[in-house]
Amino acid sequence: MHWYFDVIKNYVGFSGRATRTEYWMFVLFNFFILVIARLIDWLLPSSVPIIYSLYSLAVLIPTFAVGARRLHDIGKTGWWQLIGFIPILGWIVLLIYFCTDTQDKENVYGANPKEFIEE
């Protein structure tokens, strides 16, 4: 759960690098929160998914920020996220990039974040 809160604390941090674990744990917790928000909206009498929509807007910038840091971790610019606007092919490319392992050495975006992780 701390990965989720670390991303939220670094709300607009588009610089630096994020490991695969940090990115995918944020995605996982974010998915579960979105499902819960959708269920709550379903239980409410309103036909507008207000909680789901508000939460989605609240995490929009942190989602792009952690995505940019994840791409920085493999040596790509954060602008590669825009390829996601290309249906199917863009999503596949992003999925491959987000699953790619960290560059072992320091790159132009900073030091290897795996060196600082205590096991």
Side-chain angles (χ1 to χ4, degrees), residues 41-53:
D41 280 334
W42 180 69
L43 294 172
L44 294 176
S46 173
S47 63
V48 179
I50 191 87
I51 294 173
Y52 179 87
S53 300

Side-chain angles (χ1 to χ4, degrees), residues 1-9 21-22 25 29:
M1 188 75 172
H2 74 86
W3 291 290
Y4 177 81
F5 291 118
D6 289 346
V7 170
I8 297 299
K9 286 178 192 172
T21 303
E22 179 182 355
M25 285 301 185
F29 285 112

Side-chain angles (χ1 to χ4, degrees), residues 23-79:
Y23 176 78
W24 286 110
M25 285 301 185
F26 173 76
V27 169
L28 179 69
F29 285 112
N30 195 37
F31 173 76
F32 285 131
I33 293 170
L34 284 169
V35 168
I36 291 168
R38 192 67 174 156
L39 287 173
I40 292 170
D41 280 334
W42 180 69
L43 294 172
L44 294 176
S46 173
S47 63
V48 179
I50 191 87
I51 294 173
Y52 179 87
S53 300
L54 289 175
Y55 176 76
S56 296
L57 283 174
V59 295
L60 184 65
I61 293 173
T63 301
F64 283 124
V66 74
R69 290 194 310 271
R70 178 69 204 120
L71 290 169
H72 290 170
D73 195 42
I74 63 169
K76 305 278 185 211
T77 179
W79 290 103

